[in-house]
Amino acid sequence: METLGVEHVDREKRHGLPFNTFTLWFGANLTIADFALGSLFFGLPLESIALAVVIGNVLGGLLLGLMAAMGPTFGYPQMMISRAILGKWGNAPFALANWISTVGWFTVNIILGGYALELAFGLPFPLAAAALVLVDVVIAMWGHDLIHSFERLMSVVLAIMFAAVTVIAFDRIGTNLAAYQATVSFSLSFWALVVAAVFSYLMSWSPYASDYSRYLPESTSKWRLVAYTIAGGAIASAWTEVAGFLVFLGANNPQLNAIAALGAVSGGYAVLALLTVVLGAVAADALNLYTNSLSALVLYKKAGRIPTILAAGAVGFVLAVLASSNFGTFYQDFLLTLDYWITPWIGVMLAAFFVRRVRAGVEGAAGFLLTGLGAYLIGLLVSVPFMNLSPYGLGYVGPVASVIGGADVSYFVAFAAALVAYVGLSRMRIRGRRNIS
């Protein structure tokens, strides 16, 4: 069992290869939430779906890979690294936001996995959800190395199972594909919403990234690590999203949710297909629960890794039971709202690490580091005119979003603006010091 929490990984404890990040992110993204995301594509032409899947996953995977590259250098979890750039107390809201996000993702997967168990074996939803929570609690408690080994196994098992699901779905489509293509038309705002959802899913792993690369030797090639992470996450996410869409199309019933559609399409193989999504839920939630405990320890180190895992498991179970009756709205809204806090934070982090070469400062960080916090606020504020909050019932459509047909591109704007702002504020601070001296 892992003995470290959020402490530094010393040289003698470093181990592993960059390729381990490929199997980890490949296994973790052959998952139920990605599969369910495919059902949101319904209504777009096929070529538009393909473009959205490629753009969203490549960009999301790139951010995930670049964040993972910080792990071997720092030897700390991702939200601890954030302290070196935002400050001990300045980082606290981001650690809290990540705790909330990880509980949310944990809940999403428990809901979908619980649906699948309910449909496959007739289990009451609360019992199915409790079983999934228990398995993930055990894996997360054991820690980093077991998670890597489990995801390595899942990368093979789930690849085989999802290949079977894809073949079955494609076989069931029949004439539905041509009929579908003939009845849909392109909508820029809807396409942008799909790109946002696809990008949001893979990008939202970024606050987890170094949690699973921090044990690698410090000499590990950053660019090999980036490449393996992008490949693992983007290939798996794109594959399962397309499989989910094919299943939804094959079911030919817009009233079905993703799990019910899978059961309908799979026919005599329904139990096998449903077990595929159950295993995918477990694979993703092992990471969600482990990272959740690390975020909690960033906020309060004395809480302990095991108690925080147990607490998050209990919270996720309760939320899953309460939210299961309105999952479609819950899932889509949750996915899209993640973008607003994460992307400007990533912009600040990448600017600090890759441009300004921040390599230390986790321990003994000042309470508030104004360069990082200022850049984050600039990125967030600049992006407001590009936001469209109407999907959440808030009624706000920014002036730029309105001009481009309601498309919300604020996440990209926030990332770029925060990155540029951090570089600019850093240079201004350096010049100020030189003038004083």
Side-chain angles (χ1 to χ4, degrees):
M1 183 176 289
E2 185 179 7
T3 58
L4 293 181
V6 293
E7 297 83 6
H8 182 261
V9 181
D10 295 329
R11 182 175 299 177
E12 61 272 14
K13 293 182 179 179
R14 301 293 186 101
H15 60 280
L17 299 170
F19 183 72
N20 293 349
T21 59
F22 173 86
T23 55
L24 180 121
W25 294 112
F26 189 76
N29 284 286
L30 287 172
T31 185
I32 180 92
D34 257 326
F35 178 83
L37 186 57
S39 67
L40 300 179
F41 301 167
F42 200 84
L44 278 177
L46 298 177
E47 59 274 14
S48 301
I49 293 172
L51 186 61
V53 167
V54 171
I55 291 174
N57 282 306
V58 169
L59 293 179
L62 176 61
L63 296 189
L64 176 63
L66 292 171
M67 295 295 285
M70 301 179 187
T73 299
F74 277 96
Y76 284 100
Q78 198 74 62
M79 296 311 298
M80 281 294 286
I81 295 172
S82 184
R83 277 188 176 183
I85 298 161
L86 299 169
K88 181 178 180 180
W89 301 115
N91 182 58
F94 301 92
L96 177 60
N98 198 47
W99 188 92
I100 295 170
S101 294
T102 49
V103 166
W105 280 116
F106 182 73
T107 303
V108 163
N109 287 296
I110 292 301
I111 291 173
L112 287 169
Y115 280 159
L117 279 177
E118 185 180 28
L119 189 58
F121 301 108
L123 295 177
F125 180 82
L127 181 59
L132 294 175
V133 169
L134 179 61
V135 172
D136 280 309
V137 164
V138 171
I139 295 173
M141 285 173 60
W142 199 265
H144 177 274
D145 286 358
L146 179 60
I147 290 172
H148 265 283
S149 297
F150 179 71
E151 299 299 342
R152 192 176 304 117
L153 174 63
M154 287 299 99
S155 70
V156 177
V157 172
L158 286 171
I160 294 171
M161 297 177 81
F162 265 111
V165 168
T166 305
V167 171
I168 291 169
F170 193 78
D171 184 62
R172 287 291 302 273
I173 288 174
T175 59
N176 291 356
L177 191 62
Y180 170 83
Q181 187 72 346
T183 57
V184 297
S185 58
F186 179 78
S187 164
L188 178 61
S189 59
F190 182 44
W191 183 81
L193 185 71
V194 170
V195 173
V198 172
F199 169 76
S200 177
Y201 179 77
L202 193 52
M203 173 279 300
S204 67
W205 289 109
S206 295
Y208 305 42
S210 291
D211 299 357
Y212 306 98
S213 62
R214 62 185 170 131
Y215 279 87
L216 291 172
E218 192 172 348
S219 60
T220 299
S221 167
K222 291 182 179 62
W223 301 114
R224 287 180 64 194
L225 183 56
V226 170
Y228 280 130
T229 301
I230 294 172
I235 292 172
S237 290
W239 179 7
T240 46
E241 287 157 7
V242 170
F245 171 73
L246 293 176
V247 165
F248 194 71
L249 187 60
N252 198 30
N253 184 351
Q255 303 304 314
L256 296 177
N257 62 41
I259 305 305
L262 178 61
V265 167
S266 302
Y269 300 99
V271 172
L272 177 63
L274 292 169
L275 283 177
T276 301
V277 294
V278 171
L279 285 177
V282 174
D285 269 347
L287 273 64
N288 287 323
L289 203 50
Y290 178 78
T291 287
N292 177 274
S293 72
L294 298 182
S295 295
L297 294 178
V298 171
L299 292 167
Y300 184 59
K301 187 175 181 180
K302 293 182 180 180
R305 197 169 63 83
I306 304 304
T308 54
I309 289 172
L310 293 172
V315 171
F317 171 75
V318 171
L319 289 176
V321 172
L322 294 176
S324 60
S325 61
N326 191 28
F327 177 70
T329 301
F330 171 80
Y331 179 52
Q332 184 169 318
D333 288 354
F334 177 74
L335 264 176
L336 298 177
T337 52
L338 283 178
D339 290 344
Y340 293 108
W341 84 264
I342 295 179
T343 49
W345 173 80
I346 294 174
V348 170
M349 294 287 288
L350 295 185
F353 186 75
F354 287 101
V355 181
R356 303 307 303 170
R357 301 289 178 179
V358 174
R359 295 292 186 270
V362 174
E363 300 292 344
F368 298 92
L369 294 176
L370 298 183
T371 299
L373 293 170
Y376 178 85
L377 290 175
I378 289 172
L380 198 59
L381 291 172
V382 168
S383 71
V384 170
F386 297 84
M387 292 180 180
N388 180 358
L389 303 182
S390 58
Y392 318 120
L394 299 179
Y396 175 77
V397 181
V400 179
S402 181
V403 169
I404 57 178
D408 187 334
V409 295
S410 60
Y411 36 88
F412 297 113
V413 173
F415 166 77
L419 189 151
V420 172
Y422 186 88
V423 174
L425 291 175
S426 297
R427 289 177 176 172
M428 289 172 60
R429 186 178 180 186
I430 292 171
R431 288 173 185 167
R433 286 178 177 174
R434 287 174 179 170
N435 291 337
I436 292 173
S437 61

